């Protein structure tokens, strides 16, 4: 979570340009302010500015927040403060007072890390539970009592059924990344868990996008909520420069190798649709001299953590991920995201590219679109709502293994069903100019 000084400096300048509020203006107590200053945070992000005062006033909040906007601190900071200040009101020393439900293990661990960092000068206890690992360590920790429980739905229900967890004393419930819960098929588990919570509670509901089903879930669990939008729903972070390159399927690997070998990029996250595809791509990259590792659901939790640690420390510059595994990936200063394939659910695109350009940092997102993916790409462009730059490539500069890459703006068979033609901007109109390598 700590980022290097240059990144902090860049973020601070960006935040400073857009607003002059400081964390002191948000009525946060000295122990939190001290932790924030140690983290190098100087200016609250827009979601933090809006949500922190509301949570401290004990309001329900419906947060429509872009990925990477600082949303975790927006709920974690006021929760720590509330729990700290009302410790003597807790029914028992062992009762769980806050539940944070989140779709993936990585995200759960990330949130737990945030609680550790922000609450380091308080006595707030936090525990994280998720599936895919033995439960004993988690149940031992739960046995000692925890103020905050961060959980994925499956393991939470499992441990509730075994009698290790009781949700009767929950005062604050946070549902994080609600739209992803829906995508991952967890929505019924979420409803089941909500039914076990006390009616009298504060609820904070966060989602990057607000499809109808998510709005109806929100309406059913929130009470007089204040809606907080840090941007219009379904838009992606403003600091991400997005582009698309039209490359046919059989050419994508060659294209990728050429690009990774010729550009000087610190960290690249590549998305593939399947776990098998991720493994295959890693093998291909390694064979061609690009060190890469994969993260996906078939890997053990320890292996996933190790791969992520290698990527975060810069040991590996390329990480290949599936959508589900990438959900919780939070790498400060991630340089670029590449979509090796175009997701068929448009919202997934927003989640993918949101891994870069986090909290005001500048990021790049490049999508490789083949002709059979073009329909999905049109839908993505509609959702994003702004023109996405079409990059052209100089095929002559490609390494010999590259067979054929579309070097022109759009191959003939793309012209059918073309969307917002008038609004499209081109990275370069020169056939022989490369903007991406
Ligand atoms: P999140 O959207 O919560 O995943 O946060 C994205 C990244 O921004 C994380 O690496 C946070 O540590 C970082 N971050 C959150 N709030 C701030 C802030 N006010 N100033 C600088 N970095 C922040």
């Amino acid at each position: 979570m700590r980022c290097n000084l240059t990144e902090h400096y860049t973020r601070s300048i960006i935040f400073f340009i857009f607003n002059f509020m400081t964390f002191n203006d948000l009525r946060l107590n000295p122990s939190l302010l001290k932790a924030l200053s140690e983290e190098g945070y100087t200016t609250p992000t827009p979601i933090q500015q809006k949500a922190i005062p509301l949570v401290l006033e004990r309001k329900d909040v419906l947060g429509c927040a872009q990925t990477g906007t600082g949303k975790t601190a927006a709920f974690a900071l006021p929760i720590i403060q509330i729990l700290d200040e009302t410790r003597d009101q807790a029914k028992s020393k062992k009762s769980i007072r806050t539940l944070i439900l989140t779709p993936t293990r990585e995200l759960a661990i990330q949130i737990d890390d945030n609680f550790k960092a922000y609450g380091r000068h308080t006595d707030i206890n936090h525990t994280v539970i998720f599936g895919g690992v033995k439960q004993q360590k988690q149940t031992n920790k739960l046995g000692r009592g925890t103020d905050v429980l961060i959980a994925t739905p499956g393991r939470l229900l499992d441990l509730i059924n075994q009698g290790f967890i009781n949700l009767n004393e929950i005062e604050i419930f946070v549902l994080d990344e609600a739209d992803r819960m829906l995508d991952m098929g967890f929505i019924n588990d979420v409803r089941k868990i909500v039914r076990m919570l006390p009616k009298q509670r504060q609820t904070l509901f966060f989602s990057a996008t607000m499809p109808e089903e998510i709005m109806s879930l929100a309406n059913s669990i929130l009470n007089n909520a204040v809606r907080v939008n840090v941007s219009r729903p379904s838009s992606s972070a403003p600091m991400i420069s997005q582009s698309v390159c039209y490359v046919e399927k059989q050419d994508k690997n060659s294209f990728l190798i050429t690009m990774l070998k010729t550009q000087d990029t610190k960290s690249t996250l590549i998305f593939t649709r399947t776990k098998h595809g991720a493994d295959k791509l890693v093998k291909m990259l390694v064979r061609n001299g690009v060190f890469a590792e994969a993260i996906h659901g078939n890997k053990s939790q320890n292996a996933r953590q190790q791969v992520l640690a290698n990527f975060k420390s810069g040991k590996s510059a390329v990480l290949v991920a599936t959508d589900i595994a990438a959900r919780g990936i939070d790498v400060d200063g991630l340089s670029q995201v590449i979509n090796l394939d175009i997701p068929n659910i448009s919202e997934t695109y927003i989640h993918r590219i949101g891994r870069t350009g986090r909290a005001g940092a500048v990021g790049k997102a490049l999508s490789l679109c083949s002709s059979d993916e073009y329909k999905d790409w049109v839908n993505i462009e509609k959702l994003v709502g702004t023109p996405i730059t079409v990059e052209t490539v100089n095929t002559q500069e490609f390494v010999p293994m590259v067979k054929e890459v579309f070097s022109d703006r759009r191959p003939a068979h793309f012209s059918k069903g073309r969307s917002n033609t008038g609004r499209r901007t081109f990275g370069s109109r020169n056939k022989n100019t490369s903007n991406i390598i």
Side-chain angles (χ1 to χ4, degrees), residues 260 266-270 285 290-293 311 316-320:
L260 293 172
K266 221 177 80 199
S267 48
T268 300
L269 175 61
I270 304 174
L285 290 173
V290 177
F291 182 66
E293 291 186 296
F311 189 57
S316 59
V318 178
L319 180 65
V320 180

Side-chain angles (χ1 to χ4, degrees), residues 63-88:
C64 185
Q66 295 169 309
T67 47
T69 51
K71 142 175 85 71
T72 315
F75 64 78
L77 292 167
I79 287 176
I80 295 171
Q81 177 149 326
I82 291 167
L83 296 182
D84 206 29
E85 286 174 352
T86 59
R87 176 165 292 287
D88 49 353

